[in-house]
Amino acid sequence: MFAFAGLLGILIALGGSVALVWHGTRRQAEPSSLRGAARFVLIGGGVAFLALEAALLANDFTLEYVANHHSRDTPFPFNLATGWAALEGSIVLWGLVLAVFTWGVLRRYLREPSRLGAGALAVMGAVGIFFFGLQLTVADPFRICVDAVANGCVASSPFPWAAAIAPPNGPGPNPLLQNHILMAVHPPMLYLGYVGLTVPFAYAISALALGQPGTDWLRLSRRSSLLAWTFLSIGIVLGAWWAYEVLSWGGYWAWDPVENASFMPWLIATAFLHSSLVQLRRQALQSWNFVLVITAFALTILGTFLTRSGTVASVHSFTQSAIGPVLLGFLFLVLVGSLTLFAARVPMLEPQARLETLVSREGGFLLNNLLLCVYAFVVVAGTLYPIVLEAVTGARVSVGEPFFNRLAVPLSFGLLLAMGVGPLLPWRQADPVAVADRLRLPVGIALLAGLIAAVTISRLGYVVLAVVIGTYVIAVAVTNLVERSSKSSAIRGEPLFAGVRRQLTSEPSFWAGQLSHCGVALTVIGLALAANLGLQTDVTMAPGDTVDFGGYELTYRSPFLFTEPNRRVQGATIAVADRAGNPVTELAPRANYFGADTSGITTPAVHSTWKGDLYLTLLNIDGEGILLRLNTSPGIWLLWMGGLTVGAGGIWSLSARRRTREPSLVA
Amino acid sequence: MPSPSRRTGSWLALALLAVAVAMVVVTAPPPAEDRAQAIGSQVRCPVCQGEAIVDSPSETARNMMDLVRARIDEGLTDQQIIDELLTSYGGSLLLNPPARGATLWLWLAPLVALGVGTAMVARRFHVAPADHLPAAAAPPVSGTLSRRWIWGAAVLVLGGAVAVATVGQFQQARPEDQSLSGVAGEDFDPDSVSNETLEAVVAANADNPAINGMRLALANRYFEEGNYQQAFGHYEIVLDNQPAPNEAANAFTRLGWMVFDGNGEADLGIELIDRGLELVPNDAFAIYLKGRIIWCGQGDADTAADLFSSVLSSTGLDAEIQDRVETDLAAAAAGEDCQ
């Protein structure tokens, strides 16, 4: 029954997508037909998603997807998350998110009907045809199980009326994915980001095809771009957090191809958010913005290919399936199609407004774009190089942390420096002396902070440098706010506080951007602290043993073993006391055994304070004792806080935009 | 606008502060250099997903880290240790690809991208030809000024990038005659490493069943050298670690020969070889050794001769073995005593 409902939903959504393309490309688009088509897409995508979730909650093991990725014993929130924890389900969620964004584009269109909007809807429909088409072919989540073993499905049929043979139970989702609740949140966030980037792409293609390369497409898609970027930012941070809480190596970012897959579009989307401002204000960088948007969308497809095709081994890649070549073909089509269209329209884009000098706001944005694009290039090159090299020559190489860090660290510091100057520069042309005057205070604060950090925290070069530059960025934002507010409050004769509020509410997008800048600065400081000052050691302990580590006294109390419906848990109780022997807390690092899995998923135990985390990983446990890995991660909370602050900046900008309904962006 | 003297004064104060920060950092005692950590972050854990061995909690990674620490205590250089890890576990484990050979382009490409990007940015600020724009739109002075700025910045950025890359190169410079690189292809070849290296690798991975093949190769090497004492222990561990049938047969055969050759226990020797032959029937080397024991230990030249001739009838025999079997067959068939 669920299979019928789900397939019907996919078919409706597919039909709606085809209708969108059909109506959106007509010379005289009918708003009512476009609305009907978009409604079909939304309803169809929703029905397919709900059918899959309902099948999971109802333990309907006649579906192959349920039989192979679900288990009666999995607790409730993970049941929901199973809906997107495997290949086919993740494409269903992708389709639903795409349908929601299509609906958003439609509402914008109904408010302000234009050929540009209709064309964008047609492109959304075309992308929809691809993703709903996937669900009917290589990533069909509603296949019926026709031959089962005790713990899963071994043969299936695409026809919902096939005679089903259901296994009594399934193996449950990937153990790594049912180990932490963040797993239920992080993928949808990333999807909202990935799929959201379809919207500016759709507008860009529509603008190119219609020969309307002005600023309209930027204005119409800016909100979606911002929304996508915000979700992408939050999704990336949550992914790092999940890795830290679950993967038990004390780390949060390994330049793993899958992490890179989410980082590449983020970098380009960030560049686009900045460079589109230059076009909105100065009518410059027209063609550049098209290139960025096409690149960002292509990178989301590339990322999906990398994570879903099994080309790289990772927790995100599922069983080998035919989806890899299909995604690669789609990527090729997108790139060739949109770049050809772009090339054909280049004559229309020239001549462009030239910019006067680098010492100006637009100059700052260009520097930012240069650094972000080189950054993205490094990440793409480092990720693809081993794959391409092996495919071409058969030679195998690893490209990992040392390579990325050597290039990413200087690029990041360069970006921070640009962040610390750009916001102070006026448009068109800045007076270098005046800018230098405004830099004195933040530079002084930053150097003072560096001195304090060197004396109290660490004299390590990277740490002090990160503190200086990070504080500098934050100080620039804060002093800038105070300076501007005091000026306006002096004129009006009101208290400074009122001036600050006036300033924040009158230019919310600018200050939201500054908040995101501060988030990036916090992230970099947190990274520098955790990466350079963390300690690590492995100790063997028998019950009753005590070790001194990172300012704590750790005592191994006893082992424990218990069984939950979906897993066996084996672990050790560790009493944590401070130097003086006062008890602080009790930690229980453990290994979880899901279903028939015998290797166990180690789950770290973390004690967080504002100074940093104590992080215990159980490496081995037997009758005689335990082998325990001890880590400290100083200041790591700054990393999470910073990342979420970046996202908060996006949310603030979005909500302010909503309240003021398209403010004076073009003015 | 502050007065010029106040402005100069404040910048001077900032410069002093900057010098103070720099001094505090520069005069800091060098951090306790953790060589094991540094080496461990360069090498990928072979059984994980892109994690360095210093990060990974997996057993293989921990064993590799133990090996690194042991080698540091023995006084080996970082490069020697990394090379040993790459030899033992496969050349593609270097997380930091060297800037030459197949991975040179990986290092050059970002620099090229930076150069191209800088040129593109510079083009944005070119003053458009006069016939495109009214003359007032871009005063020539500001045009030249901005171009100078841009090229200055470009040179600075590129120079800095080259400097960073060069410093990095020196840091990881390695002797040219070392053939190892991040490029794979060199699969593990026991013939190319010393017994000691192999022993260390095997010891570092004592609990890892996957090391059985390597341990067997080491044991076989001791066996060939006549070092039965060493070989014996390793064969026993191989048999304890759920060996593959061919590995077990290999171990049984040689154990059988050693108990005869070393201790003169012919019956036990034949029993052990027979257990090997149950697993891999018609193994020429095992049959030959069995024949030797029957001939030399039990004095049964006829049975031995039958076995020798069955060995000769098998195909793909090693030339050296074939010579030995032919000599022995001739002697046994003639009823001579073994030698």
Side-chain angles (χ1 to χ4, degrees):
Chain A
M1 186 194 78
F2 295 117
F4 277 106
L7 283 172
L8 189 66
I10 296 172
L11 283 172
I12 292 174
L14 191 63
S17 302
V18 173
L20 268 183
V21 175
W22 172 254
H23 290 295
T25 48
R26 284 169 58 175
R27 199 164 286 277
Q28 294 294 321
E30 287 278 332
S32 58
S33 0
L34 282 170
R35 180 180 11 208
R39 191 173 282 158
F40 270 114
V41 177
L42 189 61
I43 291 172
V47 166
F49 180 76
L50 288 178
L52 187 59
E53 288 293 345
L56 285 166
L57 294 181
N59 296 321
D60 180 5
F61 289 103
T62 57
L63 288 187
E64 185 196 21
Y65 185 85
V66 179
N68 283 340
H69 303 293
H70 173 71
S71 138
R72 292 181 194 276
D73 313 319
T74 311
F76 170 71
F78 295 105
N79 275 340
L80 281 186
T82 308
W84 54 80
L87 173 69
E88 293 83 1
S90 71
I91 302 290
V92 171
L93 179 62
W94 188 295
L96 174 63
V97 174
L98 185 65
V100 171
F101 273 104
T102 307
W103 188 250
V105 174
L106 175 91
R107 290 201 22 198
R108 193 80 184 72
Y109 168 78
L110 293 178
R111 250 195 345 260
E112 198 181 323
S114 65
R115 288 201 66 196
L116 197 60
L121 280 168
V123 179
M124 298 297 287
V127 177
I129 291 176
F130 175 74
F131 279 101
F132 291 112
L134 280 184
Q135 295 172 32
L136 282 183
T137 51
V138 291
D140 177 2
F142 297 107
R143 290 177 75 94
I144 297 293
C145 183
V146 293
D147 192 9
V149 290
N151 208 13
C153 180
V154 288
S156 62
S157 154
F159 305 110
W161 52 82
I165 299 179
N169 201 349
N174 181 338
L176 270 180
L177 305 184
Q178 53 174 319
N179 219 5
H180 198 288
I181 193 62
L182 270 178
M183 199 51 221
V185 192
H186 145 76
M189 286 288 166
L190 274 184
Y191 278 25
L192 284 163
Y194 272 2
V195 183
L197 287 176
T198 314
V199 177
F201 173 76
Y203 275 108
I205 294 299
S206 173
L208 284 173
L210 293 169
Q212 300 181 6
T215 50
D216 278 353
W217 73 275
L218 285 176
R219 197 171 48 80
L220 290 170
S221 65
R222 183 147 178 90
R223 204 177 142 75
S224 304
S225 314
L226 201 53
L227 192 68
W229 176 86
T230 305
F231 281 124
L232 207 49
S233 309
I234 296 174
I236 291 172
V237 182
L238 291 184
W241 204 344
W242 172 80
Y244 180 75
E245 297 283 348
V246 172
L247 293 186
S248 69
W249 45 285
Y252 31 83
W253 192 264
W255 296 104
D256 178 275
V258 174
E259 294 167 330
N260 295 349
S262 62
F263 194 43
M264 299 179 305
W266 184 87
L267 286 168
I268 298 294
T270 311
F272 172 65
L273 284 181
H274 290 88
S275 76
S276 61
L277 279 178
V278 177
Q279 188 179 345
L280 287 168
R281 285 295 290 254
R282 298 290 324 272
Q283 280 75 47
L285 303 185
Q286 282 192 23
S287 42
W288 182 238
N289 282 320
F290 283 115
V291 172
L292 283 182
V293 161
I294 293 169
T295 311
F297 180 70
L299 284 176
T300 64
I301 304 295
L302 176 69
T304 316
F305 166 72
L306 285 178
T307 50
R308 295 307 192 224
S309 67
T311 309
V312 292
S314 101
V315 61
H316 299 75
S317 55
F318 309 121
T319 43
Q320 296 289 334
S321 91
I323 198 165
V326 178
L327 278 169
L328 204 57
F330 184 60
L331 173 65
F332 186 75
L333 200 72
V334 165
L335 276 177
V336 170
S338 39
L339 291 180
T340 308
L341 183 61
F342 172 70
R345 293 303 192 199
V346 162
M348 193 177 279
L349 301 173
E350 297 289 345
Q352 299 190 0
R354 297 284 180 182
L355 304 172
E356 290 89 358
T357 163
L358 194 61
V359 194
S360 61
R361 179 69 64 79
E362 48 269 49
F365 282 145
L366 270 184
L367 184 62
N368 138 307
N369 262 249
L370 175 64
L371 290 173
L372 282 170
C373 289
V374 173
Y375 207 145
F377 180 83
V378 166
V379 180
V380 173
T383 309
L384 292 185
Y385 201 85
I387 301 168
V388 174
L389 191 69
E390 185 170 357
V392 174
T393 68
R396 276 188 321 213
V397 296
S398 306
V399 176
E401 227 174 307
F403 168 82
F404 288 108
N405 281 353
R406 177 160 302 154
L407 296 168
V409 169
L411 283 167
S412 303
F413 280 132
L415 274 171
L416 280 177
L417 283 176
M419 271 182 233
V421 183
L424 297 181
L425 300 173
W427 292 95
R428 285 183 184 273
Q429 189 145 19
D431 172 9
V433 179
V435 172
D437 275 340
R438 299 182 67 190
L439 286 182
R440 275 181 310 175
L441 185 57
V443 168
I445 294 173
L447 287 173
L448 215 59
L451 198 61
I452 293 170
V455 173
T456 58
I457 303 175
S458 161
R459 292 162 74 180
L460 217 58
Y462 270 126
V463 174
V464 177
L465 190 64
V467 170
V468 168
I469 301 189
T471 315
Y472 167 65
V473 170
I474 297 170
V476 163
V478 174
T479 55
N480 195 8
L481 176 63
V482 173
E483 227 168 273
R484 290 204 204 178
S485 314
S486 64
K487 240 180 240 164
S488 78
S489 56
I491 294 170
R492 289 192 174 75
E494 57 190 10
L496 181 64
F497 170 71
V500 169
R501 217 172 56 184
R502 180 184 301 279
Q503 186 60 232
L504 291 181
T505 45
S506 67
E507 282 184 84
S509 326
F510 177 80
W511 294 112
Q514 294 304 296
L515 184 65
S516 292
H517 281 189
C518 294
V520 176
L522 287 178
T523 308
V524 170
I525 296 175
L527 274 172
L529 292 178
N532 289 298
L533 303 179
L535 304 171
Q536 176 180 314
T537 184
D538 294 352
V539 291
T540 311
M541 298 172 91
D545 284 357
T546 297
V547 292
D548 274 347
F549 178 74
Y552 294 102
E553 264 184 14
L554 308 176
T555 309
Y556 173 27
R557 284 269 167 73
S558 58
F560 63 82
L561 175 69
F562 60 88
T563 309
E564 290 175 353
N566 63 328
R567 62 184 185 184
R568 281 177 301 119
V569 179
Q570 188 177 24
T573 312
I574 311 287
V576 181
D578 60 16
R579 277 268 157 73
N582 307 312
V584 175
T585 183
E586 215 170 56
L587 292 177
R590 57 184 67 186
N592 298 330
Y593 300 85
F594 291 89
D597 173 35
T598 53
S599 53
I601 306 293
T602 50
T603 301
V606 186
H607 172 62
S608 300
T609 70
W610 67 271
K611 275 186 162 177
D613 288 3
L614 174 69
Y615 188 100
L616 307 183
T617 313
L618 189 63
L619 296 177
N620 195 20
I621 182 166
D622 57 30
E624 288 147 40
I626 52 171
L627 179 59
L628 198 63
R629 173 161 291 180
L630 317 174
N631 283 90
T632 58
S633 302
I636 194 154
W637 62 275
L638 280 169
L639 186 56
W640 319 134
M641 276 300 300
L644 295 178
T645 307
V646 172
I651 293 171
W652 179 10
S653 181
L654 282 166
S655 61
R657 216 172 275 277
R658 162 147 297 221
R659 245 180 284 126
T660 52
R661 269 280 143 99
E662 298 302 324
S664 54
L665 254 181
V666 274
Chain B
M1 278 284 149
S3 71
S5 66
R6 263 193 65 193
R7 182 181 286 150
T8 320
S10 59
W11 278 112
L12 211 62
L14 285 181
L16 279 176
L17 193 55
V19 170
V21 175
M23 288 302 288
V24 174
V25 171
V26 171
T27 58
E33 192 191 7
D34 192 342
R35 283 180 59 202
Q37 201 95 11
I39 296 172
S41 65
Q42 301 271 314
V43 180
R44 186 169 65 87
C45 155
V47 299
C48 330
Q49 291 153 0
E51 288 169 51
I53 55 172
V54 69
D55 294 324
S56 168
S58 79
E59 193 171 343
T60 311
R62 278 183 280 133
N63 291 332
M64 289 169 82
M65 281 305 291
D66 289 345
L67 179 69
V68 170
R69 290 195 195 93
R71 286 293 177 271
I72 289 175
D73 292 343
E74 288 166 23
L76 268 64
T77 66
D78 292 5
Q79 200 52 56
Q80 283 172 321
I81 299 171
I82 289 180
D83 285 349
E84 181 181 332
L85 287 173
L86 298 186
T87 322
S88 313
Y89 289 91
S92 64
L93 295 182
L94 200 59
L95 280 170
N96 199 11
R100 52 192 169 67
T103 43
L104 175 64
W105 273 107
L106 186 58
W107 287 99
L108 287 184
L111 289 182
V112 173
L114 193 63
V116 171
T118 314
M120 279 170 68
V121 171
R123 254 198 50 199
R124 290 274 158 214
F125 289 93
H126 270 284
V127 180
D131 54 353
H132 273 213
L133 279 177
V141 179
S142 102
T144 45
L145 179 76
S146 66
R147 221 172 317 173
R148 216 165 54 212
W149 268 91
I150 295 151
W151 285 114
V155 168
L156 213 70
V157 169
L158 264 182
V162 170
V164 169
T166 320
V167 170
Q169 257 336 94
F170 277 119
Q171 275 176 359
Q172 58 151 13
R174 44 199 293 161
E176 273 310 308
D177 57 341
Q178 306 255 347
S179 62
L180 281 172
S181 65
V183 184
E186 308 113 323
D187 276 342
F188 175 69
D189 176 10
D191 295 342
S192 64
V193 276
S194 68
N195 282 0
E196 288 68 32
T197 307
L198 206 50
E199 185 77 60
V201 173
V202 169
N205 293 279
D207 307 326
N208 186 351
I211 206 74
N212 248 359
M214 207 180 286
R215 189 185 289 283
L216 196 62
L218 177 63
N220 284 351
R221 195 185 291 187
Y222 285 129
F223 175 81
E224 299 292 339
E225 291 166 1
N227 188 347
Y228 289 174
Q229 198 78 33
Q230 294 282 355
F232 211 94
H234 283 300
Y235 282 130
E236 284 198 311
I237 300 176
V238 167
L239 289 176
D240 282 347
N241 277 340
Q242 291 124 26
N246 61 326
E247 289 174 345
N250 183 321
F252 277 127
T253 302
R254 285 161 181 77
L255 277 174
W257 176 253
M258 287 193 296
V259 296
F260 168 69
D261 198 30
N263 302 352
E265 295 185 49
D267 291 348
L268 179 59
I270 291 173
E271 194 186 318
L272 285 167
I273 293 180
D274 279 341
R275 288 182 66 177
L277 283 169
E278 276 170 27
L279 294 167
V280 181
N282 307 321
D283 180 71
F285 189 59
I287 298 171
Y288 169 61
L289 289 182
K290 184 178 170 184
R292 287 282 301 183
I293 300 177
I294 289 172
W295 186 25
C296 307
Q298 300 181 331
D300 185 348
D302 288 348
T303 313
D306 287 350
L307 288 172
F308 292 151
S309 52
S310 80
V311 170
L312 285 176
S313 67
S314 65
T315 53
L317 216 51
D318 188 68
E320 192 193 340
I321 302 269
Q322 182 149 5
D323 277 356
R324 278 162 64 182
V325 180
E326 276 170 0
T327 321
D328 284 355
L329 175 59
E336 291 174 18
D337 278 347
C338 88
Q339 31 220 292

